Each structure stands twice: as C-alpha cells, then as structure tokens.
C-alpha cells in the first residue's frame, strides 16, 4: 500500500491490521516528522484554569449538568505562578485551557495575558477556551496571545450535531469557520478530533485527516475517545434529543464501520496526520498515556508526534479537571512531571526543545 493520501487510501490505512504493513506506516511517519520538524520535542506547559462550562457536549465530564463535579476557577495570581514555573522549567509555551466559561471575562484574561508577556516576553501563550465571541478573541490576540486551539472533534455534520448541542440561545456552532476567522486575526490555529466516538466511521476519520491538510493547521491534536460515566455518550445516547429526532445515526456505528477508541487506532491517526501535514505541531497526548502509561507518549512521538504537554495545574485542581476519568499523572507535581517526561524523551533519542516552538514557516512572526 502506498502513501498517496486520498479518501480511499487513508481509510485503507485506518483499517489496516497487518503488523508488517503498519511498521512501514510508522517508519514513514517518523521519517516525515524528522525531515520537517526535526528531532526536537517541545514541552508546552498546560494550565487548566477553570472547569466551569456552559455547554452540554455529549462526551465531556465538564458538561454543565454534571452536578457531581466540584467546580473551580484559578485566580490571577495562581495562573501567573504557573507561568513563572513554566519559565523556570525552560518551557517555551503555556497553554491556558478551560471549559467554555464566561466567568473568564474578556478584560480579566486580557490583563493576565499582558502581565505574562510583560514578565516573560519570549513565552508563547496558547488559549483553549471553547467557542468565544470574535470580540473576546481579538482582545486576547491584541493582549499578546499567540495561538488558539479549538478541536472540531468530527467534521461529519450529523455526528457533530448529535454530540454538540448548541449553547443556550445559539444556533449550532461552526468551529471550522471560527478557526478560519482566528487565522485572519493572526493566531496560529490548532484543532483536532477524538478517535472512536460512538457513531464515528472509518470514512469520517479519513475525511477529518484530509480536512486537516485543507485547513493547513499549525497544531493538530488527536486522542482516543474515553468514556465519562456522567455523559450521554457513555450510555450510547445522543447529547441532543432534538437532533436525534431528525438524524438517524446509529451509536455505535454498524459492525465493521465503528472506529475503535483504541491506542493502535490513535497511532494510525497520528501517523497519517503527519503524512498529511508534514510541518504541523502534533502532540503525543495525555489520553495516550492514560491508555498506556508505560510507553504511550513515547510511541506517539515515534509515530509522528513532536509535542508533549506537561501539566502545570496545581494538584489540588488537577483531579477536578475531569474531561474523562482516571487521567494519567494527576498526582504528579510539575517538577516531577518534567523530570519524568525529560527522561522519557531523551531515552528515545530525541532532544528537548527551547523557545516558543511555533510552526517553522511561521517562526518569523511568532514571538
């Protein structure tokens, strides 16, 4: 099987189970990664600043109606301390992540972004805060934010409608349109998908991978769908009953068509994404480590990924950011996490990156 990426060849690779064939895929993805982004692994410090969320996404433990979750929102000073820790550990980027929380106001966050940039001018700031109004996004870009990560999770409109109900008072969102607007604002943009969503077929994932290339994404994250018991998808129910009345999409998909939410399938998506988007920054995710604590991140890095995101969130909050249960490394301090990841990266013959680590074609404009 060749590596020309068409809908049919990508789907064939996704279905491939022969170990010899897959070894060829891993080697090719690793070669393309090495030739385009090198052997450097950039560490991006994750700060989970709030677990409040106004949305009812069908798969996420932060969904608004999860009454069993204790909610928190980090203070300004706590966030600035985490940014200082990132700089002390030598990271070139912090990633501020939260649910779609309108308690995080435009001015409050803009002030924090400006202060981080004042103290650490060379520290890149990535935001991942859900779907926010353009006025918020522009204010945060003008304050100094460099990147925005907004995963579209699936590009199939029917599956998306079933798992992503509109926010109160809004129509169904168009995350792809928002990504394009953010690029026009000057952000580096990132997106991605979950692998193995109930109802997700091989052809859907093949289209997602080719859409990554069409959008020319700077960052692409993909991880296995991990069920949270307090969600509709855990019960194989759509999140939006109104959409289910008009969309007859089976959950799970018919036998032979449902994409497994497995470690192996996630590696295939990582590898094929590297072939489709040679220059993109691709993380080896915490979800992979959750499935395989011993070597999940390392195998991701050896099959196309070049980014790792150590968690800087205070341990008291980390266990409460429960998108899915039993996340890896929730009890480690930031220092412990860094030492562990550094040794793992060096052990597979890779280097620790310095600086912001933006996409290479954009390094002249990223500060």
């Amino acid at each position: 099987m060749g590596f020309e990426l068409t809908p049919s060849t990508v789907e064939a690779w996704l279905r491939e189970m022969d170990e010899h064939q897959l070894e060829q895929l891993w080697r090719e993805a690793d070669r393309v990664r090495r030739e385009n982004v090198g052997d450097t692994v950039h560490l991006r410090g994750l700060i989970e600043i709030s677990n409040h969320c106004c949305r009812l996404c069908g798969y996420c433990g932060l969904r608004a109606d999860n009454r069993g979750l204790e909610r928190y929102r980090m203070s300004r000073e706590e966030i600035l301390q985490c940014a200082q820790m990132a700089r002390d550990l030598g990271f070139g980027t912090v990633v501020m992540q939260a649910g779609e929380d309108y308690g995080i106001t435009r001015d409050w966050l803009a002030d924090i972004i400006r202060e981080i940039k004042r103290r650490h001018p060379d520290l890149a700031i990535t935001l991942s805060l859900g779907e926010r109004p353009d006025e918020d996004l522009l204010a945060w870009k003008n304050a100094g934010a460099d990147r925005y990560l907004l995963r579209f999770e699936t590009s199939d409109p029917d599956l998306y409608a079933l798992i992503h109900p509109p926010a109160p008072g809004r129509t169904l969102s168009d995350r792809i349109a928002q990504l394009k607007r953010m690029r026009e604002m000057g952000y580096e943009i990132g997106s991605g998908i979950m692998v193995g969503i109930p109802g997700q077929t091989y052809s859907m994932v093949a289209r997602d991978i080719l859409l990554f290339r069409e959008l020319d994404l700077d960052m692409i994250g993909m991880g296995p769908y991990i069920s949270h018991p307090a969600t509709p998808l855990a019960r194989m129910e759509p999140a939006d009953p109104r959409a289910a009345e008009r969309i007859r999409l089976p959950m799970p998909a018919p036998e032979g068509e449902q994409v497994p939410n497995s470690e192996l399938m996630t590696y295939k998506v990582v590898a094929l994404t590297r072939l489709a988007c040679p220059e993109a920054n691709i993380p080896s995710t915490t979800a992979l480590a959750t499935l395989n604590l011993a070597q999940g991140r390392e195998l991701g890095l050896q099959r196309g990924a070049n980014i790792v995101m150590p968690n800087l969130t205070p341990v008291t909050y980390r266990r409460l950011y429960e998108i899915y249960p039993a996340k890896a490394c929730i009890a480690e301090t930031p220092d412990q996490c860094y030492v562990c990841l550094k040794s793992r990266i060096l052990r597979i013959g890779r280097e620790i990156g310095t600086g912001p680590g933006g996409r290479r074609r954009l390094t002249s404009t990223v500060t």
Side-chain angles (χ1 to χ4, degrees), residues 31-339:
R31 181 190 68 79
V32 171
R33 184 270 310 158
R34 185 180 305 109
E35 291 182 358
N36 286 275
V37 298
D39 284 330
T40 295
V41 176
H42 283 277
L43 304 181
R44 298 188 168 171
L46 179 63
I47 312 172
E48 295 159 333
I49 65 176
S50 168
N51 71 348
H52 289 264
C53 190
C54 67
R55 303 299 292 267
L56 291 169
C57 300
Y59 52 85
C60 181
L62 304 190
R63 65 196 318 265
D65 69 352
N66 182 2
R67 307 302 180 196
L69 181 63
E70 179 186 344
R71 304 288 176 165
Y72 75 89
R73 189 177 294 123
M74 290 176 62
S75 69
R76 178 182 188 273
E77 192 53 42
E78 286 173 324
I79 294 169
L80 294 175
Q81 288 171 1
C82 288
Q84 181 64 57
M85 190 178 309
R87 172 48 64 219
D88 291 344
L89 291 172
F91 299 171
T93 300
V94 290
V95 180
M96 288 192 274
Q97 184 178 74
E100 197 165 311
D101 175 13
Y102 286 86
I104 297 171
T105 65
R106 182 192 310 165
D107 292 343
W108 181 80
L109 187 61
D111 170 68
I112 291 172
I113 292 168
R114 282 191 292 268
E115 184 61 19
I116 291 173
K117 285 293 190 177
R118 186 189 70 79
R119 297 184 187 187
H120 316 290
D122 57 346
L123 188 65
I125 297 174
T126 299
L127 303 177
S128 182
L129 306 172
E131 302 167 26
R132 299 288 299 226
D134 286 0
E135 294 81 4
D136 293 357
L137 299 169
L138 275 168
W140 297 335
K141 184 70 184 71
N142 291 334
D146 300 284
R147 307 170 183 140
Y148 204 100
L149 175 61
L150 181 69
R151 298 205 327 187
F152 58 75
E153 305 299 6
T154 174
S155 61
D156 184 88
D158 287 344
L159 183 58
Y160 185 86
L162 291 177
I163 67 174
H164 275 275
R170 292 192 237 164
T171 58
L172 189 65
S173 58
D174 187 341
R175 291 189 169 196
I176 292 170
Q178 182 169 334
L179 286 165
K180 292 177 179 178
R181 292 198 305 274
M182 288 189 293
R183 168 159 281 160
E184 292 173 355
M185 294 176 193
Y187 282 102
E188 268 191 81
I189 59 169
S191 195
I193 63 169
M194 287 184 296
V195 177
I197 306 166
Q200 184 184 57
T201 66
Y202 289 93
S203 62
M204 289 178 188
V205 177
R207 291 195 297 270
D208 291 338
I209 292 170
L210 296 176
L211 180 60
F212 295 157
R213 180 169 64 184
E214 180 184 331
L215 293 172
D216 194 25
L217 295 169
D218 303 303
M219 305 171 285
I220 308 168
M222 63 232 67
Y225 161 73
I226 300 176
S227 175
H228 190 291
T231 62
L233 282 193
R235 303 185 295 272
M236 290 296 172
E237 297 173 359
D240 191 344
R242 294 168 300 175
E245 291 175 3
R246 61 182 175 81
I247 298 171
R248 301 300 179 187
L249 191 69
M251 290 186 170
E255 185 176 356
E257 294 301 316
Q258 173 64 51
V259 172
N261 60 335
S262 65
E263 181 185 355
L264 177 61
M265 182 57 62
T266 306
Y267 295 140
K268 293 180 192 179
V269 177
V270 168
L272 290 164
T273 298
R274 174 57 68 196
L275 299 186
C277 306
E279 299 173 337
N281 283 314
I282 300 175
S284 189
T285 62
T286 301
L288 271 174
T290 299
L291 294 186
N292 181 350
L293 187 59
Q295 56 178 352
R297 281 198 183 98
E298 291 93 323
L299 289 173
L301 290 171
Q302 292 170 319
R303 294 171 179 179
N306 69 311
I307 298 290
V308 173
M309 295 172 64
N311 201 329
L312 299 178
T313 310
V315 174
T316 52
Y317 298 134
R318 202 178 303 179
R319 64 178 179 81
L320 302 176
Y321 199 82
E322 193 179 82
I323 295 175
Y324 54 84
K327 280 199 300 184
C329 309
I330 62 170
E332 289 184 348
T333 66
D335 285 340
Q336 290 170 332
C337 187
Y338 170 68
V339 169

